[in-house]
Amino acid sequence: MAFDQISRRNLKKLLRFSSKARYISLLNQYTLACLHVQNHNYTNVYMKWKKDSYLDSIDSIHKSLELKPILALKNRITASPQNCIPISDVSKKGLQLDVPIKVARLTRKAAILNEEEEAVYRDYKDDLQERLKKFILMSVEDRLPLKIIQGMLWYLGLPDDYLRKLEGNFDACFEVVEMGDGLKGLAVVKTEKDKKILSVLEKNASRSIEAFMIPFFPSKGLRLKTKILDWLDHFQKLPYVSPYEKCPDLYRDSDVAEKRVVGVLHELLSLFVEHSVERKRVLCLRKYLGLPQKVHKAFERHPHVFYLSLRNKTCTAILKEAYCGCDKTGIEAHPLVQVRKKYIDLVKESKVILKNRRHGNRSFCSGDEKLELNLSEDEKVFL
């Protein structure tokens, strides 16, 4: 009996050793084939966050949360045949405020801006659609749920009703698919997936000697330890894996995997018209883009690439290259951003007008131009 127990224990050890040896052999074969992507030299990097007053002052980024619902209201007004809507349709508290018969309409300036915005959507339709296509192709399965895309339309520069007009907005490269659990998604067809898609970094590398190096923009006055400087130099020399390349076998804890995560975030912010996004939005995209659970750490470990703004009681990730780089970078300002800036300026003017109205003033002067409130008893002017 004792001999049998000893034999069984020895047999178990032999099997465990045999399985481990076979596993190690296979791992070594894979490692030899992919040695350059499996190397791991993790450095525990901690770089003190340094405030950047310039990046914190960009209104087109930090006023987005305020501007987005205002433009959604503007779109409801312009969609109405009479170009006006009841206040009760805007606010559920319309009856409580005793304004059920009053209407909201656009001012002349807002109407002109709306026409300018619509012109950008028409003139840059292909560009905006290409951004959506790339956004989908960055996903693991080349498809994304419609509800996820809807939440990112503002950042991609697309109208908030874009997905409600599928036939008119999408060409043959898109198709609506079932994603399970009753979810519908938007996919890119095979003919489009077979085309070589280049990231912004890859396009820039074709014109640069230092291929696939992620542009760094160190914060002024920030001194780094030698250990971190050496790590950054090592990081730049690592192979670059395109965010459009599917690499399920890439070891998640390798240095190259970390560089791929930074590359994915760089490309994602490059696709967004303002080159910024609320960090919590990226967390919602994590599983669809194949990003690690602690993807937010990439923003903190790479402050030379990204800036985290804590303005407006939220955390906004900003791509430094878009705002701190020279004119030679491949990231250009989108015309839609200029339109949004004009909307923000108009909102500021409106606040001053309303403030003056509360003090009994019926007009507001801006330079040589006089803006009349033009308020009647049964109307409220919007913007």
Side-chain angles (χ1 to χ4, degrees):
M1 180 67 70
F3 177 81
D4 291 340
Q5 291 177 351
I6 295 173
S7 298
R8 282 197 294 270
R9 285 198 297 269
N10 290 337
L11 181 60
K12 289 180 180 179
K13 290 180 180 179
L14 181 61
L15 289 174
R16 283 199 299 269
F17 177 80
S18 177
S19 299
K20 183 180 292 186
R22 187 160 51 251
Y23 170 76
I24 293 174
S25 176
L26 291 173
L27 180 62
N28 286 338
Q29 292 176 15
Y30 179 79
T31 303
L32 289 174
C34 309
L35 185 62
H36 67 285
V37 299
Q38 299 302 312
N39 182 37
H40 178 59
N41 187 26
Y42 184 85
T43 301
N44 187 16
V45 173
Y46 172 76
M47 286 185 255
K48 184 178 179 181
W49 177 83
K50 187 174 178 60
K51 182 178 177 64
D52 190 312
S53 57
Y54 166 64
L55 294 176
D56 280 333
S57 65
I58 302 175
D59 279 345
S60 62
I61 294 176
H62 303 293
K63 293 290 185 179
S64 287
L65 293 178
E66 178 183 346
L67 186 62
K68 184 179 178 181
I70 292 177
L71 293 190
L73 173 58
K74 181 268 301 180
N75 292 335
R76 289 196 59 185
I77 295 173
T78 56
S80 173
Q82 294 80 23
N83 283 332
C84 63
I85 59 175
I87 288 293
S88 56
D89 285 357
V90 179
S91 173
K92 294 180 180 179
K93 296 183 179 180
L95 293 175
Q96 298 177 19
L97 298 174
D98 195 27
V99 287
I101 64 170
K102 294 184 179 179
V103 297
R105 70 176 183 180
L106 296 182
T107 61
R108 179 177 56 84
K109 271 196 169 185
I112 293 174
L113 264 183
N114 178 69
E115 293 177 359
E116 186 176 341
E117 181 185 7
E118 293 295 332
V120 172
Y121 289 142
R122 290 193 304 270
D123 297 342
Y124 290 84
K125 178 181 178 181
D126 293 341
D127 169 78
L128 295 174
Q129 189 170 262
E130 182 70 12
R131 291 170 187 265
L132 175 60
K133 183 174 73 174
K134 286 186 173 182
F135 178 53
I136 295 175
L137 288 176
M138 287 177 67
S139 65
V140 177
E141 299 179 347
D142 296 327
R143 60 182 64 191
L144 287 171
L146 290 177
K147 67 175 185 178
I148 293 294
I149 297 176
Q150 180 66 40
M152 306 305 294
L153 290 180
W154 174 262
Y155 298 103
L156 291 167
L158 296 166
D160 56 0
D161 63 345
Y162 192 78
L163 297 181
R164 292 195 289 270
K165 302 176 181 178
L166 296 180
E167 295 182 359
N169 289 327
F170 299 139
D171 57 24
C173 71
F174 294 103
E175 62 179 355
V176 179
V177 296
E178 295 288 340
M179 299 197 66
D181 298 328
L183 279 179
K184 289 188 178 295
L186 194 62
V188 178
V189 298
K190 293 182 179 180
T191 54
E192 290 292 324
K193 289 188 287 187
D194 294 338
K195 295 180 181 179
K196 176 67 175 177
I197 304 294
L198 298 178
S199 67
V200 170
L201 289 176
E202 289 174 308
K203 290 178 180 178
N204 290 345
S206 64
R207 302 191 300 267
S208 172
I209 298 177
E210 298 176 324
F212 304 119
M213 294 186 68
I214 299 177
F216 279 177
F217 299 92
S219 300
K220 295 181 180 179
L222 183 63
R223 300 180 62 182
L224 301 178
K225 296 180 179 179
T226 303
K227 179 181 72 172
I228 297 179
L229 291 174
D230 292 340
W231 173 76
L232 288 174
D233 182 63
H234 165 74
F235 179 83
Q236 287 286 43
K237 295 177 181 178
L238 291 171
Y240 172 81
V241 181
S242 171
Y244 302 104
E245 180 180 344
K246 314 306 177 187
C247 46
D249 297 327
L250 187 64
Y251 182 46
R252 281 183 172 269
D253 291 332
S254 66
D255 292 339
V256 174
E258 180 176 359
K259 186 167 184 176
R260 184 180 187 274
V261 170
V262 175
V264 169
L265 296 176
H266 183 283
E267 181 69 7
L268 186 66
L269 294 181
S270 298
L271 293 178
F272 295 160
V273 293
E274 292 168 351
H275 311 302
S276 64
V277 65
E278 286 184 274
R279 189 173 64 171
K280 62 183 180 181
R281 295 278 183 174
V282 177
L283 301 182
C284 297
L285 299 173
R286 185 186 61 79
K287 70 174 183 178
Y288 299 105
L289 300 185
L291 297 172
Q293 186 173 3
K294 295 184 178 180
V295 60
H296 60 281
K297 291 291 185 181
F299 292 120
E300 301 169 9
R301 280 172 58 84
H302 297 275
H304 289 6
V305 182
F306 312 106
Y307 176 70
L308 292 178
S309 175
L310 306 179
R311 186 177 165 184
N312 296 333
K313 298 181 180 179
T314 187
C315 186
T316 302
I318 302 172
L319 183 62
K320 279 191 166 184
E321 182 180 355
Y323 295 96
C324 303
C326 60
D327 296 335
K328 296 181 181 180
T329 63
I331 302 179
E332 300 177 355
H334 199 278
L336 187 60
V337 176
Q338 297 301 321
V339 176
R340 290 181 178 178
K341 288 180 179 179
K342 293 179 181 179
Y343 272 121
I344 291 172
D345 291 339
L346 191 56
V347 170
K348 292 179 179 178
E349 289 184 11
S350 299
K351 289 182 178 180
V352 176
I353 292 175
L354 293 175
K355 181 179 178 181
N356 288 342
R357 179 173 178 262
R358 286 194 295 267
H359 288 80
N361 296 326
R362 302 295 293 182
S363 63
F364 169 70
C365 294
S366 176
D368 296 331
E369 182 180 11
K370 188 175 182 181
L371 303 176
E372 295 293 340
L373 276 175
N374 194 24
L375 288 172
S376 64
E377 291 300 324
D378 61 346
E379 292 178 332
K380 281 190 177 291
V381 178
F382 178 69
L383 288 185

